[in-house]
Amino acid sequence: METVEVRKDIIKIAWPAILEMTLHTLVWTVDTAMVGRLNPASISAVSLGAQIMFITMMILGAVGVGATALVARNIGAGDCRRAGKIGAQALSIGIFISVGVTIVGMIFAEDIFRLAVKDVAVVELGETYLRHVLIGGFFLIPFGVSNSILRGAGKTNYTLRAVLLANSFNIIGDYVLIFGKWSFPALGVKGAALATGIAQILGALTSLYYLFSGKSGIEIYFKDLFTIDKDILKKLVNLSIPAAFELTMNDGSRLLTAIWIAQLGTVQFAANSVAVAAESLSFMPGYGFAIAATTLMGQNLGAKNIDRAKESVAQAAKYAVVLMASVAFIFLTVPYFIMSFFTTDADTVALAAKCIRVGALEQVPIAIAMVISGALKGAGDTQGPFKISLATNLGVRLPLIFLIVFVFRLNIVFVWLATALQFMLEAVLMVIRYRREGWRLLELK
């Protein structure tokens, strides 16, 4: 009977998180498609500008990881007031960081793009994009942190609503402001930036409403934002710094890998890009069930129910594996059909299809690694996932890809084999870390 209840809790938390991730992917795709109607310089400027902003905000917003774990632990223990104080401290940190990042971005937008690209047109458009999108940049980290707090309370339905509102506005705003519809001027790149910036403001305000209205079950008050609790701050920082390093390692590794892959030639780089775009859709089940594992691990540990915590992780992993194994089967059987949706170039489709077939080998390991990583973080062990990410990126992914590209000069399929090996090792190391059960000794309250 308890297993049935655990499964209900998992589905209740996971499915809104999966839809939320789907919406993020959808808005990115639509945004790119609309800007793609302009010119190559605009595409490059918006793509690079969005990556710079979102990667920076994600890394600096890693305080949300610590907030999820601490809020979940206290919700499980029935201490909604302390959960509220933790949420307020996390929001205060997020607001402080956002102010700094926004100011720096506004002042140094041109310099940032000059470091990244040499094309004068891209630099000019990129500067315009970054300065206008940062109108909403102040709200981006608070938006992410408030959603993390809501996830800790198990309210992923509220984060879904906030993201749905923000992304719906983003898509409509893109159409109206980029092309000049409904009597609005055609603003091009500037319009794309304004649509994204305003969407972030709307999303953040919606999430904050759910937090401060009491609908989330967390007792958080506006005055808490201005009250410093050194004990809570210390715990948030200790949990969040390893998470920030993990994000930096993973995003940095992907960026460096993309730069190296570009050396293989246009067709191979294009094949890798479309294969990555297709595979990114497969991560959504893992993402959703990882959030469920994080939340339920924290809440059950707070309630001193170790058995239910472990059962939650086991069931979340099972769901993720089944769904992502199904995706692996599709990748193996109809890769050409899938790739034909992303490009019409025959050479690119053929090569990308081979990549995505190799990507099928990654699906189950990624499912396991994501859920176990989420469980460890929910228990307060953010150092474990960081150390494992550090080891697999520096010990496997980067050295192998460097050898493949620069020494043996093999094609892109071998790069995918290297990343598959990385994910397999990562899954094994995550399971080993989890089964040692050092997380049982962590006291977060």
Side-chain angles (χ1 to χ4, degrees):
M1 188 68 181
E2 184 175 65
T3 298
V4 174
E5 293 300 317
V6 167
R7 288 175 178 172
K8 287 181 180 178
D9 289 341
I10 290 169
I11 297 301
K12 182 180 177 181
I13 294 171
W15 79 261
I18 293 171
L19 289 179
E20 180 186 336
M21 190 64 177
T22 304
L23 286 171
H24 282 306
T25 303
L26 175 64
V27 77
W28 177 270
T29 303
V30 172
D31 201 29
T32 302
M34 288 192 190
V35 174
R37 307 276 181 186
L38 301 176
N39 53 60
S42 296
I43 297 171
S44 298
V46 171
S47 178
L48 183 57
Q51 285 186 55
I52 290 171
M53 185 183 74
F54 282 101
I55 288 175
T56 300
M57 295 296 187
M58 278 180 63
I59 292 170
L60 295 178
V63 63
V65 176
T68 300
L70 289 171
V71 167
R73 184 70 70 96
N74 283 277
I75 289 291
D79 195 343
C80 296
R81 182 67 189 107
R82 184 166 175 79
K85 290 180 179 179
I86 290 165
Q89 297 292 290
L91 274 173
S92 296
I93 296 172
I95 292 169
F96 178 77
I97 294 173
S98 287
V99 171
V101 171
T102 302
I103 292 172
V104 170
M106 288 284 193
I107 295 173
F108 297 104
E110 182 179 354
D111 299 289
I112 292 169
F113 268 85
R114 286 192 184 281
L115 287 173
V117 293
K118 301 299 181 186
D119 190 309
V120 175
V122 174
V123 170
E124 184 177 339
L125 287 169
E127 176 192 359
T128 298
Y129 177 84
L130 198 56
R131 284 192 169 140
H132 284 83
V133 81
L134 282 173
I135 291 172
F138 173 80
F139 290 84
L140 188 54
I141 293 179
F143 186 15
V145 172
S146 59
N147 281 349
S148 295
I149 297 166
L150 289 168
R151 291 186 191 111
K155 304 297 183 180
T156 52
N157 56 324
Y158 290 157
T159 67
L160 173 61
R161 293 177 193 176
V163 170
L164 179 61
L165 175 64
N167 288 353
S168 297
F169 179 88
N170 199 340
I171 291 172
I172 296 170
D174 276 342
Y175 175 73
V176 172
L177 297 177
I178 291 174
F179 304 116
K181 304 295 182 179
W182 305 342
S183 301
F184 283 88
L187 299 176
V189 167
K190 187 188 295 184
L194 288 172
T196 300
I198 296 170
Q200 295 304 317
I201 294 173
L202 289 175
L205 292 177
T206 304
S207 288
L208 290 170
Y209 164 74
Y210 285 126
L211 274 181
F212 286 94
S213 66
K215 293 179 179 293
S216 64
I218 301 173
E219 294 181 24
I220 181 172
Y221 304 107
F222 187 73
K223 65 179 182 179
D224 293 336
L225 295 172
F226 307 98
T227 304
I228 296 175
D229 187 314
K230 292 182 180 178
D231 179 57
I232 291 175
L233 280 177
K234 182 180 178 181
K235 288 179 178 178
L236 279 171
V237 170
N238 288 341
L239 287 171
S240 300
I241 286 179
F245 284 153
E246 181 190 358
L247 286 167
T248 302
M249 172 56 61
N250 288 332
D251 289 332
S253 177
R254 291 189 193 100
L255 180 60
L256 184 57
T257 298
I259 293 171
W260 288 351
I261 291 171
Q263 309 305 310
L264 294 174
T266 304
V267 172
Q268 298 211 45
F269 184 76
N272 180 72
S273 298
V274 295
V276 167
E279 190 188 36
S280 65
L281 299 172
S282 72
F283 297 158
M284 293 174 198
Y287 173 82
F289 289 109
I291 287 177
T294 300
T295 301
L296 293 175
M297 170 64 88
Q299 290 185 356
N300 284 302
L301 288 181
K304 307 296 184 184
N305 194 335
I306 300 291
D307 290 338
R308 190 179 177 93
K310 293 170 71 173
E311 179 67 13
S312 297
V313 176
Q315 293 299 322
K318 186 183 297 183
Y319 278 119
V321 165
V322 169
L323 288 176
M324 293 184 71
S326 301
V327 174
F329 178 75
I330 295 170
F331 283 175
L332 281 171
T333 54
V334 289
Y336 293 92
F337 178 73
I338 295 170
M339 289 300 98
S340 64
F341 281 101
F342 291 85
T343 178
T344 56
D345 182 77
D347 291 337
T348 303
V349 168
L351 190 55
K354 292 178 181 177
C355 292
I356 210 69
R357 267 192 171 146
V358 175
L361 302 175
E362 302 174 351
Q363 296 303 303
V364 170
I366 288 173
I368 294 170
M370 291 180 79
V371 172
I372 300 301
S373 176
L376 290 171
K377 290 170 185 172
D381 182 12
T382 55
Q383 289 191 19
F386 164 61
K387 290 176 181 177
I388 291 169
S389 174
L390 185 69
T392 57
N393 276 289
L394 296 185
V396 179
R397 182 189 184 99
L398 294 179
L400 285 182
I401 294 177
F402 181 86
L403 290 172
I404 289 166
V405 173
F406 296 105
V407 178
F408 299 111
R409 298 192 177 278
L410 302 172
N411 70 30
I412 190 65
V413 176
F414 288 90
V415 171
W416 279 69
L417 284 169
T419 58
L421 181 61
Q422 178 206 359
F423 287 124
M424 290 175 188
L425 179 60
E426 187 171 299
V428 170
L429 293 176
M430 288 289 185
V431 171
I432 291 172
R433 179 89 178 189
Y434 174 74
R435 286 186 173 176
R436 286 177 177 171
E437 297 194 4
W439 45 266
R440 295 180 64 160
L441 305 176
L442 298 174
E443 180 57 51
L444 299 186
K445 285 184 65 185

PDB file of all heavy atoms in Angstrom, residues 250-274:
ATOM      1  N   ASN A 250      29.723  21.094 -16.002  1.00  0.00           N
ATOM      2  CA  ASN A 250      28.938  20.488 -17.079  1.00  0.00           C
ATOM      3  C   ASN A 250      28.749  21.419 -18.265  1.00  0.00           C
ATOM      4  O   ASN A 250      28.948  21.024 -19.424  1.00  0.00           O
ATOM      5  CB  ASN A 250      27.574  20.033 -16.550  1.00  0.00           C
ATOM      6  CG  ASN A 250      27.676  18.815 -15.653  1.00  0.00           C
ATOM      7  OD1 ASN A 250      28.577  18.006 -15.788  1.00  0.00           O
ATOM      8  ND2 ASN A 250      26.755  18.691 -14.713  1.00  0.00           N
ATOM      9  N   ASP A 251      28.372  22.680 -17.989  1.00  0.00           N
ATOM     10  CA  ASP A 251      28.158  23.633 -19.083  1.00  0.00           C
ATOM     11  C   ASP A 251      29.473  24.001 -19.769  1.00  0.00           C
ATOM     12  O   ASP A 251      29.530  24.133 -20.994  1.00  0.00           O
ATOM     13  CB  ASP A 251      27.475  24.900 -18.558  1.00  0.00           C
ATOM     14  CG  ASP A 251      26.022  24.659 -18.181  1.00  0.00           C
ATOM     15  OD1 ASP A 251      25.410  23.756 -18.782  1.00  0.00           O
ATOM     16  OD2 ASP A 251      25.503  25.351 -17.293  1.00  0.00           O
ATOM     17  N   GLY A 252      30.524  24.154 -18.976  1.00  0.00           N
ATOM     18  CA  GLY A 252      31.832  24.457 -19.549  1.00  0.00           C
ATOM     19  C   GLY A 252      32.334  23.332 -20.428  1.00  0.00           C
ATOM     20  O   GLY A 252      32.907  23.562 -21.508  1.00  0.00           O
ATOM     21  N   SER A 253      32.108  22.112 -19.976  1.00  0.00           N
ATOM     22  CA  SER A 253      32.527  20.942 -20.746  1.00  0.00           C
ATOM     23  C   SER A 253      31.775  20.870 -22.068  1.00  0.00           C
ATOM     24  O   SER A 253      32.373  20.593 -23.119  1.00  0.00           O
ATOM     25  CB  SER A 253      32.278  19.672 -19.926  1.00  0.00           C
ATOM     26  OG  SER A 253      32.599  18.524 -20.668  1.00  0.00           O
ATOM     27  N   ARG A 254      30.473  21.124 -22.042  1.00  0.00           N
ATOM     28  CA  ARG A 254      29.679  21.093 -23.277  1.00  0.00           C
ATOM     29  C   ARG A 254      30.126  22.189 -24.243  1.00  0.00           C
ATOM     30  O   ARG A 254      30.220  21.958 -25.459  1.00  0.00           O
ATOM     31  CB  ARG A 254      28.192  21.266 -22.946  1.00  0.00           C
ATOM     32  CG  ARG A 254      27.576  20.085 -22.215  1.00  0.00           C
ATOM     33  CD  ARG A 254      26.064  20.221 -22.125  1.00  0.00           C
ATOM     34  NE  ARG A 254      25.519  19.259 -21.181  1.00  0.00           N
ATOM     35  CZ  ARG A 254      25.179  19.532 -19.937  1.00  0.00           C
ATOM     36  NH1 ARG A 254      25.317  20.767 -19.474  1.00  0.00           N
ATOM     37  NH2 ARG A 254      24.690  18.601 -19.141  1.00  0.00           N
ATOM     38  N   LEU A 255      30.393  23.371 -23.706  1.00  0.00           N
ATOM     39  CA  LEU A 255      30.832  24.482 -24.557  1.00  0.00           C
ATOM     40  C   LEU A 255      32.178  24.175 -25.207  1.00  0.00           C
ATOM     41  O   LEU A 255      32.361  24.375 -26.413  1.00  0.00           O
ATOM     42  CB  LEU A 255      30.924  25.770 -23.727  1.00  0.00           C
ATOM     43  CG  LEU A 255      31.383  27.029 -24.471  1.00  0.00           C
ATOM     44  CD1 LEU A 255      30.430  27.348 -25.615  1.00  0.00           C
ATOM     45  CD2 LEU A 255      31.485  28.213 -23.518  1.00  0.00           C
ATOM     46  N   LEU A 256      33.120  23.672 -24.410  1.00  0.00           N
ATOM     47  CA  LEU A 256      34.439  23.337 -24.941  1.00  0.00           C
ATOM     48  C   LEU A 256      34.345  22.211 -25.962  1.00  0.00           C
ATOM     49  O   LEU A 256      35.006  22.254 -27.017  1.00  0.00           O
ATOM     50  CB  LEU A 256      35.369  22.932 -23.796  1.00  0.00           C
ATOM     51  CG  LEU A 256      36.826  22.628 -24.166  1.00  0.00           C
ATOM     52  CD1 LEU A 256      37.467  23.817 -24.861  1.00  0.00           C
ATOM     53  CD2 LEU A 256      37.617  22.234 -22.923  1.00  0.00           C
ATOM     54  N   THR A 257      33.506  21.235 -25.686  1.00  0.00           N
ATOM     55  CA  THR A 257      33.302  20.132 -26.628  1.00  0.00           C
ATOM     56  C   THR A 257      32.755  20.638 -27.954  1.00  0.00           C
ATOM     57  O   THR A 257      33.203  20.216 -29.029  1.00  0.00           O
ATOM     58  CB  THR A 257      32.328  19.092 -26.029  1.00  0.00           C
ATOM     59  OG1 THR A 257      32.892  18.536 -24.842  1.00  0.00           O
ATOM     60  CG2 THR A 257      32.052  17.974 -27.016  1.00  0.00           C
ATOM     61  N   ALA A 258      31.788  21.560 -27.895  1.00  0.00           N
ATOM     62  CA  ALA A 258      31.206  22.121 -29.125  1.00  0.00           C
ATOM     63  C   ALA A 258      32.267  22.856 -29.943  1.00  0.00           C
ATOM     64  O   ALA A 258      32.303  22.751 -31.177  1.00  0.00           O
ATOM     65  CB  ALA A 258      30.063  23.069 -28.772  1.00  0.00           C
ATOM     66  N   ILE A 259      33.140  23.594 -29.259  1.00  0.00           N
ATOM     67  CA  ILE A 259      34.224  24.311 -29.954  1.00  0.00           C
ATOM     68  C   ILE A 259      35.155  23.318 -30.650  1.00  0.00           C
ATOM     69  O   ILE A 259      35.566  23.518 -31.797  1.00  0.00           O
ATOM     70  CB  ILE A 259      35.006  25.190 -28.958  1.00  0.00           C
ATOM     71  CG1 ILE A 259      34.110  26.330 -28.447  1.00  0.00           C
ATOM     72  CG2 ILE A 259      36.266  25.749 -29.614  1.00  0.00           C
ATOM     73  CD1 ILE A 259      34.708  27.115 -27.304  1.00  0.00           C
ATOM     74  N   TRP A 260      35.487  22.235 -29.959  1.00  0.00           N
ATOM     75  CA  TRP A 260      36.357  21.212 -30.549  1.00  0.00           C
ATOM     76  C   TRP A 260      35.683  20.536 -31.738  1.00  0.00           C
ATOM     77  O   TRP A 260      36.311  20.310 -32.779  1.00  0.00           O
ATOM     78  CB  TRP A 260      36.722  20.159 -29.503  1.00  0.00           C
ATOM     79  CG  TRP A 260      37.687  20.640 -28.467  1.00  0.00           C
ATOM     80  CD1 TRP A 260      38.378  21.814 -28.464  1.00  0.00           C
ATOM     81  CD2 TRP A 260      38.071  19.953 -27.268  1.00  0.00           C
ATOM     82  NE1 TRP A 260      39.172  21.915 -27.337  1.00  0.00           N
ATOM     83  CE2 TRP A 260      39.001  20.779 -26.588  1.00  0.00           C
ATOM     84  CE3 TRP A 260      37.720  18.734 -26.702  1.00  0.00           C
ATOM     85  CZ2 TRP A 260      39.588  20.413 -25.381  1.00  0.00           C
ATOM     86  CZ3 TRP A 260      38.296  18.355 -25.502  1.00  0.00           C
ATOM     87  CH2 TRP A 260      39.222  19.197 -24.848  1.00  0.00           C
ATOM     88  N   ILE A 261      34.401  20.202 -31.593  1.00  0.00           N
ATOM     89  CA  ILE A 261      33.676  19.511 -32.658  1.00  0.00           C
ATOM     90  C   ILE A 261      33.613  20.364 -33.921  1.00  0.00           C
ATOM     91  O   ILE A 261      33.631  19.839 -35.047  1.00  0.00           O
ATOM     92  CB  ILE A 261      32.261  19.124 -32.184  1.00  0.00           C
ATOM     93  CG1 ILE A 261      32.349  18.020 -31.128  1.00  0.00           C
ATOM     94  CG2 ILE A 261      31.389  18.666 -33.350  1.00  0.00           C
ATOM     95  CD1 ILE A 261      31.028  17.712 -30.442  1.00  0.00           C
ATOM     96  N   ALA A 262      33.576  21.687 -33.745  1.00  0.00           N
ATOM     97  CA  ALA A 262      33.557  22.588 -34.903  1.00  0.00           C
ATOM     98  C   ALA A 262      34.782  22.392 -35.798  1.00  0.00           C
ATOM     99  O   ALA A 262      34.743  22.686 -37.001  1.00  0.00           O
ATOM    100  CB  ALA A 262      33.475  24.034 -34.428  1.00  0.00           C
ATOM    101  N   GLN A 263      35.871  21.869 -35.221  1.00  0.00           N
ATOM    102  CA  GLN A 263      37.096  21.636 -35.993  1.00  0.00           C
ATOM    103  C   GLN A 263      36.940  20.468 -36.975  1.00  0.00           C
ATOM    104  O   GLN A 263      37.762  20.295 -37.876  1.00  0.00           O
ATOM    105  CB  GLN A 263      38.270  21.341 -35.046  1.00  0.00           C
ATOM    106  CG  GLN A 263      38.467  22.343 -33.932  1.00  0.00           C
ATOM    107  CD  GLN A 263      38.623  23.763 -34.435  1.00  0.00           C
ATOM    108  OE1 GLN A 263      39.414  24.024 -35.330  1.00  0.00           O
ATOM    109  NE2 GLN A 263      37.849  24.680 -33.858  1.00  0.00           N
ATOM    110  N   LEU A 264      35.897  19.651 -36.792  1.00  0.00           N
ATOM    111  CA  LEU A 264      35.704  18.485 -37.655  1.00  0.00           C
ATOM    112  C   LEU A 264      35.058  18.845 -38.984  1.00  0.00           C
ATOM    113  O   LEU A 264      34.996  18.013 -39.883  1.00  0.00           O
ATOM    114  CB  LEU A 264      34.836  17.444 -36.932  1.00  0.00           C
ATOM    115  CG  LEU A 264      35.454  16.794 -35.693  1.00  0.00           C
ATOM    116  CD1 LEU A 264      34.428  15.900 -35.000  1.00  0.00           C
ATOM    117  CD2 LEU A 264      36.692  15.992 -36.060  1.00  0.00           C
ATOM    118  N   GLY A 265      34.545  20.051 -39.107  1.00  0.00           N
ATOM    119  CA  GLY A 265      33.928  20.472 -40.365  1.00  0.00           C
ATOM    120  C   GLY A 265      32.459  20.803 -40.201  1.00  0.00           C
ATOM    121  O   GLY A 265      31.817  20.445 -39.209  1.00  0.00           O
ATOM    122  N   THR A 266      31.927  21.484 -41.219  1.00  0.00           N
ATOM    123  CA  THR A 266      30.566  22.002 -41.154  1.00  0.00           C
ATOM    124  C   THR A 266      29.514  20.900 -41.028  1.00  0.00           C
ATOM    125  O   THR A 266      28.607  20.982 -40.197  1.00  0.00           O
ATOM    126  CB  THR A 266      30.262  22.854 -42.406  1.00  0.00           C
ATOM    127  OG1 THR A 266      31.237  23.892 -42.498  1.00  0.00           O
ATOM    128  CG2 THR A 266      28.870  23.467 -42.320  1.00  0.00           C
ATOM    129  N   VAL A 267      29.622  19.865 -41.873  1.00  0.00           N
ATOM    130  CA  VAL A 267      28.616  18.806 -41.863  1.00  0.00           C
ATOM    131  C   VAL A 267      28.611  18.070 -40.523  1.00  0.00           C
ATOM    132  O   VAL A 267      27.552  17.795 -39.940  1.00  0.00           O
ATOM    133  CB  VAL A 267      28.839  17.807 -43.019  1.00  0.00           C
ATOM    134  CG1 VAL A 267      27.900  16.610 -42.885  1.00  0.00           C
ATOM    135  CG2 VAL A 267      28.621  18.500 -44.357  1.00  0.00           C
ATOM    136  N   GLN A 268      29.807  17.769 -40.000  1.00  0.00           N
ATOM    137  CA  GLN A 268      29.884  17.039 -38.734  1.00  0.00           C
ATOM    138  C   GLN A 268      29.385  17.893 -37.573  1.00  0.00           C
ATOM    139  O   GLN A 268      28.707  17.396 -36.671  1.00  0.00           O
ATOM    140  CB  GLN A 268      31.323  16.576 -38.487  1.00  0.00           C
ATOM    141  CG  GLN A 268      31.818  15.614 -39.549  1.00  0.00           C
ATOM    142  CD  GLN A 268      32.826  14.620 -39.013  1.00  0.00           C
ATOM    143  OE1 GLN A 268      32.639  14.044 -37.958  1.00  0.00           O
ATOM    144  NE2 GLN A 268      33.893  14.414 -39.765  1.00  0.00           N
ATOM    145  N   PHE A 269      29.690  19.187 -37.618  1.00  0.00           N
ATOM    146  CA  PHE A 269      29.198  20.081 -36.562  1.00  0.00           C
ATOM    147  C   PHE A 269      27.676  20.195 -36.634  1.00  0.00           C
ATOM    148  O   PHE A 269      26.988  20.163 -35.610  1.00  0.00           O
ATOM    149  CB  PHE A 269      29.833  21.465 -36.699  1.00  0.00           C
ATOM    150  CG  PHE A 269      29.453  22.414 -35.598  1.00  0.00           C
ATOM    151  CD1 PHE A 269      30.022  22.301 -34.340  1.00  0.00           C
ATOM    152  CD2 PHE A 269      28.518  23.415 -35.805  1.00  0.00           C
ATOM    153  CE1 PHE A 269      29.670  23.167 -33.303  1.00  0.00           C
ATOM    154  CE2 PHE A 269      28.154  24.282 -34.789  1.00  0.00           C
ATOM    155  CZ  PHE A 269      28.745  24.154 -33.534  1.00  0.00           C
ATOM    156  N   ALA A 270      27.148  20.314 -37.855  1.00  0.00           N
ATOM    157  CA  ALA A 270      25.695  20.412 -38.034  1.00  0.00           C
ATOM    158  C   ALA A 270      25.010  19.125 -37.582  1.00  0.00           C
ATOM    159  O   ALA A 270      23.965  19.157 -36.919  1.00  0.00           O
ATOM    160  CB  ALA A 270      25.369  20.693 -39.497  1.00  0.00           C
ATOM    161  N   ALA A 271      25.604  17.979 -37.930  1.00  0.00           N
ATOM    162  CA  ALA A 271      25.027  16.688 -37.528  1.00  0.00           C
ATOM    163  C   ALA A 271      24.990  16.565 -36.011  1.00  0.00           C
ATOM    164  O   ALA A 271      23.995  16.107 -35.432  1.00  0.00           O
ATOM    165  CB  ALA A 271      25.846  15.544 -38.128  1.00  0.00           C
ATOM    166  N   ASN A 272      26.056  16.974 -35.365  1.00  0.00           N
ATOM    167  CA  ASN A 272      26.093  16.937 -33.904  1.00  0.00           C
ATOM    168  C   ASN A 272      25.032  17.861 -33.306  1.00  0.00           C
ATOM    169  O   ASN A 272      24.342  17.497 -32.349  1.00  0.00           O
ATOM    170  CB  ASN A 272      27.476  17.357 -33.405  1.00  0.00           C
ATOM    171  CG  ASN A 272      27.579  17.343 -31.895  1.00  0.00           C
ATOM    172  OD1 ASN A 272      27.614  16.305 -31.265  1.00  0.00           O
ATOM    173  ND2 ASN A 272      27.609  18.532 -31.311  1.00  0.00           N
ATOM    174  N   SER A 273      24.886  19.049 -33.893  1.00  0.00           N
ATOM    175  CA  SER A 273      23.936  20.033 -33.360  1.00  0.00           C
ATOM    176  C   SER A 273      22.500  19.523 -33.418  1.00  0.00           C
ATOM    177  O   SER A 273      21.752  19.634 -32.439  1.00  0.00           O
ATOM    178  CB  SER A 273      24.050  21.346 -34.141  1.00  0.00           C
ATOM    179  OG  SER A 273      25.342  21.901 -33.997  1.00  0.00           O
ATOM    180  N   VAL A 274      22.106  18.948 -34.564  1.00  0.00           N
ATOM    181  CA  VAL A 274      20.721  18.479 -34.674  1.00  0.00           C
ATOM    182  C   VAL A 274      20.498  17.216 -33.846  1.00  0.00           C
ATOM    183  O   VAL A 274      19.407  17.006 -33.296  1.00  0.00           O
ATOM    184  CB  VAL A 274      20.316  18.248 -36.148  1.00  0.00           C
ATOM    185  CG1 VAL A 274      20.313  19.556 -36.909  1.00  0.00           C
ATOM    186  CG2 VAL A 274      21.208  17.226 -36.829  1.00  0.00           C
TER     187      VAL A 274
END
